[in-house]
Amino acid sequence: MKLLKKLPSRVLLFSWLTLAAAGILGAAEKQPQTVQISIGTILAGNQNDEFDAKLKGMEAQLKVLKYRSYRLLKNESQTVPWRGEKAFEIPGGRTLTITPQEFQDNRVSVKVRLTQGQKPLLDTTVKIPNKGNFILGGPPHEGGALVLSISAAAQ
Amino acid sequence: MNECERIEQSMERWLDGELGAAESEVVRSHVDSCANCGAVQQRLVKLERALGNVLAAAAPRIEFAPFWSELERRIDEKTPWHKDLRERIHGWFAVPRTAWAVPALIVLLIAVLSYDSYLPFWRSRNNSATVVSIDAYGRSVALLREDESKTTVIWLYQNQEGDDEAAEETPQPGPAF
């Protein structure tokens, strides 16, 4: 009987604790401080059938592009604060500037600017699933095309 | 249940003096007028007296002193903090199952409503990047989204005059998506 009398208060207490824990976890998940931006620079071509073993994890994504060969030229990661800018040097005198915009629904919104010297080539804003990537390709290089894998991971 | 049965049920409490005045009077008058209930009353009185005699004879032989001293020792005994803590924690986790059901339901509800954040293996249906805006400064751009490999591709065609990085770098026609 004593336990039954305590039951409603215990249920309430446990519920509040659970909600508080979920709230804290949710808040932590929704307010990352920085973003880890990774740029993989890949040279795609049709001269041979070479497939760089370092790109094994991206094979399914690269197959979409229908080139015969893929070689990883460079892989660079940088931690960028929200609304902060970070420039990545891309072969051929190009620069890729990334600005993380916001984190919402487990997606990282990034502003991407590709320039060649002073000349802007592309401005785009993309929402990437957290720890996911997208591909920006096309700039010609060494008889092939550059393929940039742009990944973002909120931290 | 007849009157005699009702009286018999109340008789022990009457003999022990636990009944109220009115009820005692009802039992007493019935016992006085009913031979059967009168006999029952006599048996109970005899039994009570016999038990009393037995207990009175046995009581002096019972040693109460060790019982009281042990009881006092237990009352005065200081519980170690870890034992106290263990008992308290055990008390919390011994909450009946119904008490756990509510928070469990809340957790389930939160998980279902925000599965995208908490259950990464359910993210597959929404795992492609989304292009919000794009400006290629007059150049041609192709957008491709391939669901099987969750791939989003922005393909920039640098095919305008002056776009090529060097004379020896011939622009590629681009992939056949």
Side-chain angles (χ1 to χ4, degrees):
Chain A
M1 283 307 284
K2 195 177 169 189
L3 202 59
L4 280 175
K5 278 179 192 168
K6 282 185 178 177
L7 191 59
S9 61
R10 286 193 177 187
V11 167
L12 264 177
L13 181 65
F14 273 71
S15 306
W16 279 115
L17 284 175
T18 313
L19 275 176
I24 290 163
L25 283 174
E29 206 269 343
K30 283 183 177 66
Q31 291 168 354
Q33 300 298 306
T34 54
V35 189
Q36 174 91 16
I37 299 287
S38 300
I39 309 293
T41 307
I42 300 153
L43 179 64
N46 288 317
Q47 286 94 336
N48 54 51
D49 292 321
E50 175 204 346
F51 188 88
D52 195 331
K54 289 193 281 284
L55 296 169
K56 194 73 186 163
M58 283 187 67
E59 193 173 1
Q61 287 190 310
L62 292 173
K63 271 186 178 170
V64 173
L65 304 177
K66 309 235 191 291
Y67 277 96
R68 284 173 57 201
S69 70
Y70 297 94
R71 182 158 53 92
L72 182 68
L73 299 179
K74 194 175 160 190
N75 206 355
E76 191 181 353
S77 287
Q78 291 199 47
T79 303
V80 191
W82 292 102
R83 305 271 172 190
E85 256 188 23
K86 213 66 161 182
F88 294 82
E89 293 304 317
I90 305 297
R94 301 177 181 96
T95 305
L96 191 70
T97 308
I98 307 282
T99 313
Q101 300 282 299
E102 61 173 355
F103 185 64
Q104 202 175 30
D105 299 330
N106 205 45
R107 293 167 88 82
V108 180
S109 175
V110 289
K111 195 174 168 187
V112 178
R113 186 177 169 86
L114 181 65
T115 53
Q116 186 161 25
Q118 296 298 310
K119 190 170 56 182
L121 299 177
L122 181 83
D123 266 317
T124 183
T125 301
V126 182
K127 283 187 177 178
I128 312 171
N130 191 24
K131 295 172 187 166
N133 76 329
F134 81 97
I135 286 170
L136 169 59
H141 186 69
E142 292 179 0
L146 286 176
V147 173
L148 309 172
S149 167
I150 301 169
S151 318
Q155 294 176 323
Chain B
M1 189 183 285
N2 60 31
E3 181 68 9
C4 289
E5 285 171 337
R6 269 199 297 275
I7 295 297
E8 268 184 45
Q9 279 188 349
S10 306
M11 203 172 293
E12 279 188 39
R13 288 166 60 216
W14 173 58
L15 290 172
D16 292 339
E18 292 173 0
L19 292 182
E23 212 175 343
S24 292
E25 185 52 33
V26 171
V27 176
R28 194 195 58 76
S29 60
H30 179 87
V31 169
D32 287 347
S33 59
C34 173
N36 284 340
C37 290
V40 170
Q41 184 218 0
Q42 291 304 315
R43 270 206 310 276
L44 284 173
V45 169
K46 274 184 190 173
L47 184 64
E48 206 168 275
R49 198 172 295 148
L51 274 173
N53 290 338
V54 169
L55 286 175
R61 292 198 301 273
I62 297 170
E63 292 207 11
F64 287 101
F67 169 77
W68 287 117
S69 61
E70 176 63 15
L71 189 64
E72 278 171 6
R73 190 190 65 77
R74 287 194 185 185
I75 290 168
D76 295 340
E77 189 181 44
K78 283 188 179 172
T79 317
W81 66 270
H82 54 87
K83 195 178 172 188
D84 198 32
L85 183 70
R86 200 170 57 224
E87 278 174 9
R88 197 169 290 187
I89 290 169
H90 178 76
W92 278 109
F93 287 97
V95 174
R97 282 175 199 170
T98 41
W100 286 106
V102 177
L105 197 67
I106 292 171
V107 169
L108 189 69
L109 205 64
I110 290 169
V112 168
L113 292 176
S114 56
Y115 69 92
D116 198 43
S117 305
Y118 292 97
L119 304 174
F121 50 88
W122 275 6
R123 282 182 197 157
S124 57
R125 68 169 192 173
N126 193 22
N127 200 27
S128 299
T130 313
V131 178
V132 179
S133 68
I134 191 160
D135 182 1
Y137 299 93
R139 295 172 191 85
S140 301
V141 173
L143 279 180
L144 172 75
R145 192 166 163 169
E146 205 267 330
D147 287 335
E148 199 178 325
S149 58
K150 321 289 179 208
T151 307
T152 299
V153 179
I154 299 174
W155 197 265
L156 176 68
Y157 292 90
Q158 275 189 261
N159 51 5
Q160 288 196 349
E161 197 179 339
D163 272 353
D164 303 342
E165 60 180 294
E168 69 272 16
E169 289 182 349
T170 312
Q172 293 296 297
F177 290 128

